[in-house]
């Protein structure tokens, strides 16, 4: 009884304690909740009056920032998932500090008379903030002096490369960068221990500043020895062969950087560092030690991937590589690729009109052996064996088995030159109508002989100058390619010459936009001006060329129909057909390609305010044309086809996934119509189709692919 009473009293005490705690919590939370409800959402942050510093520089220098696009934009903020966007609230203290931050930024840039005011608009818990800036007259650089280099580098040459010039606002950041520019020049000329002391004399009332650089060039040194650290399975001799430096060479910072790039290019290391062993100059003032530190990557690698596209449908690839194969840094690779998986089952995939095997599975198996250096460290080589089946949409199917050998020379200009030789045996299958139109082979027995296996050997030369900042999604720089191929005398029926030149350039616009453009010209011709093989002709149209046309359907085409699809008058076996059957005919289209092709593209890409900038919008204009001697009329550059469009890209680690919608304002292509009979092909004597107008919806072209168009 006593124990129960004590328990009862304890229980009452515990209940009283929780009651008091709950009451205190309620009254404590109420003001906090009210405080949360009183927070003001920042919708927009803007700047006006700023000229020297752009909006992006100012926005990343302050604490106040606007909310995410889903939150601040109508009608997106009214959608169910709008509240899940990034919300940012106004902090009055940070807003006042932002004024000081902007003032400090301008003073660092030489604008000591600048003034900053804020305009804050409040309505229903929403705040719009605008910073009004009066820059004023800056302190300008009246002179730039560089002392200590009179006997090393001409003063005029140094002053020409400095970012800070006479007459510029006295920007402290540019002053520091100019000092680093002097150091870079000296290190490139064999003086890694140079020092630069920066001084300035500022007269604010006169708004002038004198900038002085006192340079201690340090000794001119050479590379005394090279120490390799971390080489275990890959021997030191492999690393030393690839380096662009040797004992006895004059020190060069760019040579160290190129050596580091070449070691990464081997594909055998996860980490590479090439740098000086000592931070102090040598006692004798002549020789230095360079440390090459590496961390080796796994020698056996297995990779796989998959994707999809409008015409390749589902595709997958796998590779297996063995590093340092048989020593010497060699790499043995086996690559396999499958495409056009599920073409007939997936509605989004384009199917071949003819159904002549071009929708079947495509495959490619390549086994290669790469040599990192041959003859010298600047020359590499590779041997490969390739077996493949590939189809060009609505054009042809090619099966081949062969091998190739190539030599690549890294030139001093940073432009690799590749010389290659290939030997293969295979056959090419095309529609009878295409063979008749292009090769003038119209009888079945001749057509069958044309598709027999033939041997072909080619010599190739390629020059590549890549100055872009990314191989899969470049945003600045340029890329130029020249490729020449020539068939040798192994098969007199397949001798040809082929040349392709392409240039693409990428320019940043604003803080995140990219303006890109590309031009490409291609030409091929046969020896003795005979017919070029079908698989060596050019085809345009599709996701990577002129997006307003279906794959390969820009340029000359022919139409093909079966004999039972076309009616003829009774007892007639010639080329007279009943017109009604022609008017209602839906023949298959076959592009015949051309001997010359020209393409030009311009595109502007900009991140959309969703998914943290990983969704990118694009607008583009494509132009191009195929020219062929087999065309009915002689074409010129006035016949270029121009198609505008827009699209979106989703940025992924494998590259941007791209969806484009282009508008084709041109009528249906007029071409020759062939009717297939058992013994030969009969040509319809008039242009086809009779009515070439196109409805509005059929003028839109949709394409899906992975990777940028160029």
């Amino acid at each position: 009884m006593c124990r129960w009473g004590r328990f009862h009293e304890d229980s009452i005490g515990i209940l009283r304690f929780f009651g008091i705690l709950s009451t205190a919590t309620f009254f404590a939370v109420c003001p906090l909740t009210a405080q949360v409800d009183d927070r003001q959402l920042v919708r927009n942050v803007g700047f006006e009056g700023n000229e020297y510093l752009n909006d992006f520089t100012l926005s990343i220098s302050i604490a106040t920032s606007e909310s995410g696009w889903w939150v601040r934009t109508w009608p997106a903020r009214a959608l169910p998932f709008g509240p899940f966007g990034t919300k940012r609230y106004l902090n009055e203290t940070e807003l006042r500090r932002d004024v000081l931050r902007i003032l400090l930024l301008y003073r660092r840039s030489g604008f000591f008379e600048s003034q900053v005011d804020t305009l804050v608009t409040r309505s229903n818990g929403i705040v719009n903030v605008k910073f009004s800036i009066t820059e004023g007259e800056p302190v300008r650089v009246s002179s730039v002096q560089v002392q200590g280099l009179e006997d090393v580098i001409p003063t005029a040459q140094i002053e020409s490369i400095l970012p800070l010039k006479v007459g510029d606002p006295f920007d402290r950041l540019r002053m520091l960068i100019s000092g680093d520019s002097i150091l870079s020049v000296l290190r490139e000329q064999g003086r890694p221990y140079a020092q630069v002391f920066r001084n300035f004399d500022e007269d604010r009332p006169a708004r002038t500043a004198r900038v002085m650089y006192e340079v201690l060039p340090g000794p001119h040194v050479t590379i005394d020895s090279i120490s390799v650290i971390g080489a275990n399975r890959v021997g030191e001799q492999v690393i030393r062969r690839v380096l662009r430096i040797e004992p006895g060479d004059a020190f060069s910072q760019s040579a160290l950087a190129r050596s580091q790039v070449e070691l990464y290019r081997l594909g055998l290391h996860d980490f590479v560092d090439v740098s000086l062993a000592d931070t102090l100059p040598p006692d004798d003032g002549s020789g230095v030690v360079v440390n090459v530190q590496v961390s080796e990557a796994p020698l056996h690698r297995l990779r796989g991937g998959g994707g999809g596209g409008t015409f390749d449908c589902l595709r997958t690839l796998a590779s297996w590589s063995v590093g340092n194969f048989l020593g010497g840094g060699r790499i043995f690779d086996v690559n396999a690729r499958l495409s056009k998986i599920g073409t007939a089952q997936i509605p989004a995939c384009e199917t071949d009109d003819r159904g002549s095997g071009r929708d079947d599975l495509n495959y490619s198996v390549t086994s290669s052996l790469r040599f990192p250096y041959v003859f010298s460290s600047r020359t590499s080589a590779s041997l490969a064996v390739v077996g493949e089946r590939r189809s060009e949409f609505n054009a042809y199917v090619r099966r081949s088995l062969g091998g190739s050998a190539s030599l690549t020379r890294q030139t001093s200009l940073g432009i690799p030159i590749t010389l290659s030789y290939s030997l293969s045996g295979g056959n090419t299958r095309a529609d009878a109508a295409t063979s008749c139109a292009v090769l003038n082979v119209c009888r079945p027995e001749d057509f069958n002989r044309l598709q027999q296996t033939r041997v072909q050997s080619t010599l190739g030369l390629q020059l590549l100058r890549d100055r872009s900042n990314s191989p899969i999604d470049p945003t600045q720089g340029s890329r130029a390619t020249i490729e020449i191929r020539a068939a040798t005398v192994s098969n007199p029926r397949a001798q040809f010459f082929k040349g392709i030149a392409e240039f693409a350039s990428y320019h940043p616009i604003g803080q995140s936009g990219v303006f890109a453009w590309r031009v490409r010209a291609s030409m091929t011709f046969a020896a003795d001006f005979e017919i070029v093989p079908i698989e060596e002709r050019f085809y345009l149209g599709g996701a990577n060329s002129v997006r307003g046309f279906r794959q390969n359907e820009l340029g000359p085409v022919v139409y093909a129909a079966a004999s039972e699809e076309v009616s003829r008058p009774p007892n007639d076996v010639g080329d007279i057909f009943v017109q009604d059957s022609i008017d209602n005919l839906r023949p298959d289209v076959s592009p015949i390609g051309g001997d010359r092709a020209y393409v030009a593209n311009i595109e502007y890409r900009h991140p959309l305010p969703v998914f943290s900038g990983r969704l990118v919008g694009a607008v583009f204009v494509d132009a191009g044309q195929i020219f062929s001697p087999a065309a009915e009329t002689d074409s010129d550059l006035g016949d270029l086809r121009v198609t505008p469009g827009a699209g979106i890209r989703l940025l992924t680690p494998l590259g941007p996934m791209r969806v484009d919608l282009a508008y084709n304002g041109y009528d249906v292509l007029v071409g020759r119509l062939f009717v297939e009979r058992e013994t030969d092909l009969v040509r319809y004597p008039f242009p086809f189709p009779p009515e070439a107008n196109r409805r509005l919806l059929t003028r839109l072209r949709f394409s899906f692919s992975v990777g940028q168009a160029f």
Side-chain angles (χ1 to χ4, degrees), residues 691-705:
E691 296 293 335
N693 295 325
R694 178 179 290 174
R695 298 189 302 273
L696 176 62
L697 291 180
T698 61
R699 295 180 182 273
L700 300 178
R701 286 286 176 260
F702 166 85
S703 61
F704 169 75
S705 186

Side-chain angles (χ1 to χ4, degrees), residues 43 81 457 520:
R43 177 173 293 174
F81 41 83
S457 62
R520 186 177 71 201

Side-chain angles (χ1 to χ4, degrees), residues 359-395:
D359 282 342
D360 294 345
L361 192 69
N362 279 357
Y363 60 83
S364 174
V365 179
T366 304
S367 177
S368 64
L369 180 61
R370 290 181 286 161
F371 301 83
Y373 44 77
V374 177
F375 309 126
S376 73
S377 61
R378 293 177 177 267
T379 306
S380 59
S382 67
L383 301 173
V385 177
V386 182
E388 66 174 357
R389 179 197 187 276
R390 60 183 174 91
S391 60
E392 196 64 47
F393 185 76
N394 274 354

Side-chain angles (χ1 to χ4, degrees), residues 231-493:
N232 298 318
R233 293 169 295 180
V234 181
E236 284 191 21
Q237 69 277 10
V238 175
I239 295 175
R240 293 180 183 274
R241 285 289 301 270
V242 176
L243 294 177
R244 296 299 178 87
I245 54 176
E246 294 181 0
D249 291 348
F251 178 86
S252 170
Q253 190 67 44
S254 63
L256 266 63
R258 288 196 300 269
S259 298
Q260 187 168 329
V261 170
E262 292 300 324
L263 284 173
Y264 272 119
R265 188 174 293 168
L266 276 179
L268 300 174
H269 304 97
D270 287 332
F271 171 79
V272 177
D273 179 65
V274 183
S275 59
L276 285 174
D278 298 319
T279 57
L280 297 177
D283 296 335
D284 57 2
S286 59
V288 294
V289 178
V290 174
N291 279 346
V292 179
Q293 186 172 0
V294 298
S295 176
E296 295 179 346
L299 296 184
H300 295 264
R301 292 186 177 183
L302 182 64
R303 299 184 180 92
T310 308
F311 297 96
D312 273 351
C313 202
L314 298 180
R315 55 176 177 256
T316 183
L317 55 90
S319 66
W320 174 59
S321 63
V322 181
N324 203 34
F325 182 73
L326 299 178
R330 303 176 185 89
I331 296 180
F332 177 73
D333 285 316
V334 177
N335 297 280
R337 176 176 176 176
L338 296 176
S339 61
K340 292 200 172 182
I341 304 172
T343 302
Q345 291 77 25
I346 301 176
C349 299
E350 289 278 1
T351 56
D352 196 301
D353 294 335
R354 297 294 293 164
S356 56
R358 290 184 297 237
D359 282 342
D360 294 345
L361 192 69
N362 279 357
Y363 60 83
S364 174
V365 179
T366 304
S367 177
S368 64
L369 180 61
R370 290 181 286 161
F371 301 83
Y373 44 77
V374 177
F375 309 126
S376 73
S377 61
R378 293 177 177 267
T379 306
S380 59
S382 67
L383 301 173
V385 177
V386 182
E388 66 174 357
R389 179 197 187 276
R390 60 183 174 91
S391 60
E392 196 64 47
F393 185 76
N394 274 354
Y396 65 85
V397 177
R398 171 77 176 169
R399 291 183 177 87
S400 64
L401 175 65
S404 64
S406 66
L407 284 174
T408 300
R409 173 74 175 180
Q410 297 288 339
T411 65
S412 58
L413 299 177
I415 302 176
I417 301 176
T418 301
L419 178 66
S420 61
Y421 173 79
S422 64
L423 177 66
S424 64
N427 63 78
T428 303
R429 294 178 52 196
D431 288 337
T434 302
S435 300
C436 188
V438 177
L439 307 178
N440 199 29
V441 177
C442 302
R443 295 190 303 173
E445 57 270 23
D446 296 333
F447 178 66
N448 292 332
R449 283 198 300 269
L450 182 67
Q451 297 186 107
Q452 293 177 356
T453 299
R454 67 173 186 266
V455 176
Q456 178 174 294
S457 62
T458 59
L459 283 172
L461 178 67
Q462 184 185 60
L463 287 80
L464 173 64
R465 182 185 182 275
D466 192 349
R467 297 294 184 269
S468 62
N469 62 343
S470 171
I472 59 176
D473 188 18
T475 58
Q476 63 181 2
S478 62
R479 184 184 298 132
T481 305
I482 297 177
E483 182 179 356
I484 301 173
R485 293 178 61 235
T488 63
V489 296
S490 61
N491 188 345
R493 296 176 54 194

Side-chain angles (χ1 to χ4, degrees), residues 479-481 500-507 515-521 540-547 598-603 605 621-624 658 708-710:
R479 184 184 298 132
T481 305
I500 301 174
E502 179 176 313
F503 182 82
S505 185
Y506 312 92
H507 308 271
F515 176 75
W517 60 274
R518 174 185 68 172
V519 291
R520 186 177 71 201
L540 286 183
N544 294 322
S545 58
V546 182
R547 285 162 276 191
Y598 302 96
V599 178
N601 312 88
I602 59 174
E603 182 171 287
R605 305 191 288 264
V621 177
D622 301 330
R658 176 164 52 95
Q708 299 291 4
F710 58 93

